[in-house]
Amino acid sequence: MRAALAGLFLVLAGCGDRAAGARPVRIAAASSLAHFLEQVKPGWEGAHPGEILEVSPGASSTLARQLFEGAEADVFLSADRDSLDRAGERVRRETRRILYANRLAAVGVDAPSLATLATAIALAACGGGEADDGEPFSLTLDFYVNPDHAGVFTALERGYFDEVGLDVNPQVPSDPAAPIKQVAAGRTDLAISYEPEVILARDQGLDVVAVAALVNGPLTSLISLPEAGIETAADLASKTVVTAGIPYQAAYLETILRRAGVDPESVDLVDVGFNLMPPVISGRADAMFGGFLNVEGVDLAERGLDPRVVPVDRLGIPTYDELVLVADRERVESDPEPIRAFLAALERGTYAAARNPQ
């Protein structure tokens, strides 16, 4: 995206001079573009004597709100169409120009003269060319693809990540316990994991942070079928329980068992990774701990098996964010803009999925 923008400014400098403006050309720009705009600013001003570019960076949604409420700017640069449309409500349609070819949107706002507005018009007229493929951005999922990832895949399908200049590549982990380790090792840009896992990882010295919540309440559940005869946690004594091998879930289960007066050593815990359902359906296991109420719980119900699904917050575990997006702390501090862009596109995808669940 930045390479494409560089081309735009270089071509724009040769599109013809205009009369010197009485004041700076004020550009409200998404934060992800601000650093680049500052880089091209000297070249632009050198090619246009008397012209000064004044860049005001910020989050697209914040800038759009400020512009809508009356803040002054000549050009608004954003890759977020919702913010673009909100800011554009103050601009006559015939003065609006939107540049899609380079995944960049430009709107002239409150322009005092046609000369100043020509900056935005020239940006669209001189742009053209093929769109780049976007900045590669890897996302490691927490599990196999399931309804909790609806926002991610809706954003992919609708091109929201493309619009913010990211080529997002979701990957299913080989091990449900692996995503945070991959983030810490620098092998993925973001990972979906569990809030308790972030805490455990930091205790172990991994320098990772949660940057957003994908699911802000518990989904992890104790799930069994009626024939297992498990009514409460106390009934787990001498039973076989399968888990996904995720450390925090083992810690939660131990706490639940002790609160119920059950010796954890009396329960046969079997790590089956992703394969939680087959042992329960076949009767080789009495229950699963770590299945989600909205994934395995729903799947078993749709099979007509009448599962008993008890979320952990009904078993004495305090509430928490089940799924969070995890990043390397140093990456967040040194290069936050791709992550911010990802979160903005994901938010759009999540709202779109909620509005159109089918």
Side-chain angles (χ1 to χ4, degrees):
M1 180 172 70
R2 292 172 181 166
L5 185 58
L8 286 175
F9 269 87
L10 290 172
V11 173
L12 184 57
C15 284
D17 295 327
R18 67 177 180 85
R23 59 164 177 72
V25 176
R26 299 162 301 184
I27 302 177
S31 297
S32 57
L33 303 175
H35 176 68
F36 179 77
L37 287 173
E38 289 298 335
Q39 286 183 320
V40 301
K41 184 173 182 288
W44 167 264
E45 293 174 351
H48 297 77
E51 294 288 341
I52 297 176
L53 295 183
E54 187 176 274
V55 181
S56 299
S60 291
S61 58
T62 300
L63 293 173
R65 185 183 70 252
Q66 292 171 347
L67 294 169
F68 180 79
E69 292 174 351
E72 293 187 351
D74 303 310
V75 179
F76 177 34
L77 300 180
S78 173
D80 178 48
R81 289 187 188 178
D82 292 340
S83 297
L84 180 70
D85 289 340
R86 179 160 177 75
E89 291 175 14
R90 292 189 58 243
V91 186
R92 295 193 312 274
R93 183 161 298 278
E94 61 267 24
T95 67
R96 289 179 58 182
R97 294 300 301 270
I98 301 176
L99 177 63
Y100 290 111
N102 290 284
R103 296 189 179 93
L104 182 70
V107 178
V109 178
D110 196 28
S113 69
L114 291 177
T116 302
L117 184 57
T119 302
I121 295 173
L123 184 61
C126 298
E130 294 296 323
D132 62 59
D133 292 332
E135 178 180 346
F137 193 93
S138 55
L139 171 69
T140 301
L141 305 179
D142 56 300
F143 219 65
Y144 56 75
V145 177
N146 63 63
D148 296 320
H149 308 137
V152 173
F153 287 93
T154 300
L156 278 170
E157 180 182 348
R158 298 195 176 197
Y160 296 158
F161 293 125
D162 290 338
E163 290 178 18
V164 296
L166 297 179
D167 180 16
V168 174
N169 179 28
Q171 301 172 345
V172 175
S174 58
D175 177 351
I180 285 184
K181 298 174 185 176
Q182 292 180 335
V183 168
R187 291 194 290 268
T188 189
D189 295 303
L190 274 183
I192 299 175
S193 190
Y194 317 91
E195 184 181 26
E197 279 293 281
V198 178
I199 297 171
L200 288 174
R202 291 184 63 84
D203 283 345
Q204 294 167 2
L206 298 183
D207 198 11
V208 295
V209 292
V211 296
L214 189 64
V215 176
N216 61 356
L219 297 175
T220 294
S221 302
L222 176 64
I223 302 176
S224 63
L225 299 183
E227 50 267 31
I230 299 173
E231 298 287 346
T232 69
D235 297 323
L236 292 173
S238 302
K239 300 288 189 180
T240 298
V241 178
V242 292
T243 75
I246 302 172
Y248 88 91
Q249 294 178 349
Y252 277 5
L253 181 56
E254 181 176 348
T255 298
I256 291 167
L257 291 172
R258 292 191 184 281
R259 287 172 60 94
V262 176
D263 180 1
E265 295 297 324
S266 72
V267 180
D268 183 17
L269 293 183
V270 181
D271 175 2
V272 295
F274 293 113
N275 302 307
L276 290 170
M277 292 213 308
V280 173
I281 293 173
S282 67
R284 298 195 308 274
D286 299 293
M288 71 174 76
F289 187 81
F292 281 3
L293 61 90
N294 67 328
V295 180
E296 287 83 3
V298 171
D299 194 335
L300 290 170
E302 289 184 344
R303 295 168 186 250
L305 297 177
D306 191 25
R308 292 172 179 168
V309 181
V310 187
V312 292
D313 55 337
R314 287 171 47 195
L315 293 169
I317 300 297
T319 189
Y320 61 96
D321 294 336
E322 186 67 62
L323 295 179
V324 294
L325 288 157
V326 184
D328 178 75
R329 182 188 60 80
E330 184 178 347
R331 166 73 185 277
V332 172
E333 293 177 354
S334 64
D335 188 23
E337 293 310 322
I339 296 174
R340 288 176 179 163
F342 176 91
L343 295 178
L346 174 61
E347 182 179 28
R348 292 181 66 198
T350 300
Y351 282 131
R355 289 193 301 266
N356 301 282
Q358 299 303 321

